[in-house]
Amino acid sequence: MIYIQRIHNYPVWKDELIKAINDCPGKERKSEYENITESDFHIEKFTKDGVGILPYFKLMEEYVLLPNYPEVLKFYYGIDMARKMKYECQGYWYQKYNKGKEHGWHMHPNCSFSNVFLVQLEEGAPATEFMGQSPLQAGEGCLISWPSYMLHRSPTNLSDKQKIIISFNTTVWD
């Protein structure tokens, strides 16, 4: 089951988030399974004292994770169990896709849930796709969460507008 939630105040801080992403170093990722314009996947971001948290993810924590991630837990575990659950972000990265760029089928092992926040996505452009699932009704400003074992991909960007996402993994326990 895939959970989608629209972050209603996103238009207020969208430009700040995009600027923070653009200020972050990244590089092209190209292999048999991915053709990504730019990503910071290769950068180690976490330290024990939290110093390694990049500005764009601090915005994600403030506006998306802290106020909205409990809804993900309620969806998967029910309200009573969700109150007892704890979660931790295991990793995060941004990805940019120019026209013609894509990320093939993959999954994220060693975590409970995978998540994508759609930072910039042209109206009607496909969001993340899941193998065997109908196309999602998700657009810019939506957080998509799913069990990490599900195969998914970022389909080819057919738009002239760059697609930007932030991905992160979470581990959940009670």
Side-chain angles (χ1 to χ4, degrees), residues 100-164:
K101 301 294 186 171
E102 64 189 341
H103 193 167
W105 294 109
H106 65 285
M107 64 179 169
H108 301 204
N110 304 320
C111 58
S112 305
F113 295 99
S114 297
N115 310 269
V116 167
F117 183 71
L118 301 172
V119 175
Q120 183 169 280
L121 184 69
E122 187 168 286
E123 181 92 22
T128 302
E129 290 182 345
F130 293 86
M131 189 168 279
Q133 303 287 318
S134 298
L136 299 181
Q137 300 299 311
E140 195 171 279
C142 284
L143 175 64
I144 306 167
S145 302
W146 65 92
S148 64
Y149 61 81
M150 293 180 72
L151 283 170
H152 61 284
R153 70 178 182 162
S154 182
T156 304
N157 182 9
L158 301 176
S159 169
D160 290 328
K161 185 176 181 181
Q162 187 176 63
K163 174 182 175 180
I164 303 173

Side-chain angles (χ1 to χ4, degrees), residues 50-92:
V51 172
I53 298 175
L54 296 173
Y56 76 84
F57 204 74
K58 285 183 181 182
L59 290 168
M60 285 289 295
E61 283 185 319
E62 181 179 350
Y63 293 116
V64 178
L65 281 177
L66 295 175
N68 297 292
Y69 210 75
E71 293 302 314
V72 174
L73 300 179
K74 287 179 196 173
F75 177 79
Y76 286 105
Y77 298 104
I79 194 164
D80 291 333
M81 186 71 165
R83 287 185 181 133
K84 302 173 193 173
M85 304 300 287
K86 295 180 179 98
Y87 68 91
E88 179 178 66
C89 185
Q90 297 299 115
Y92 65 91

Side-chain angles (χ1 to χ4, degrees), residues 7-14 17-18 117-120 140-141:
I7 308 304
H8 296 290
N9 66 344
Y10 179 59
V12 174
W13 54 279
K14 174 185 173 182
L17 180 61
I18 291 173
F117 183 71
L118 301 172
V119 175
Q120 183 169 280
E140 195 171 279

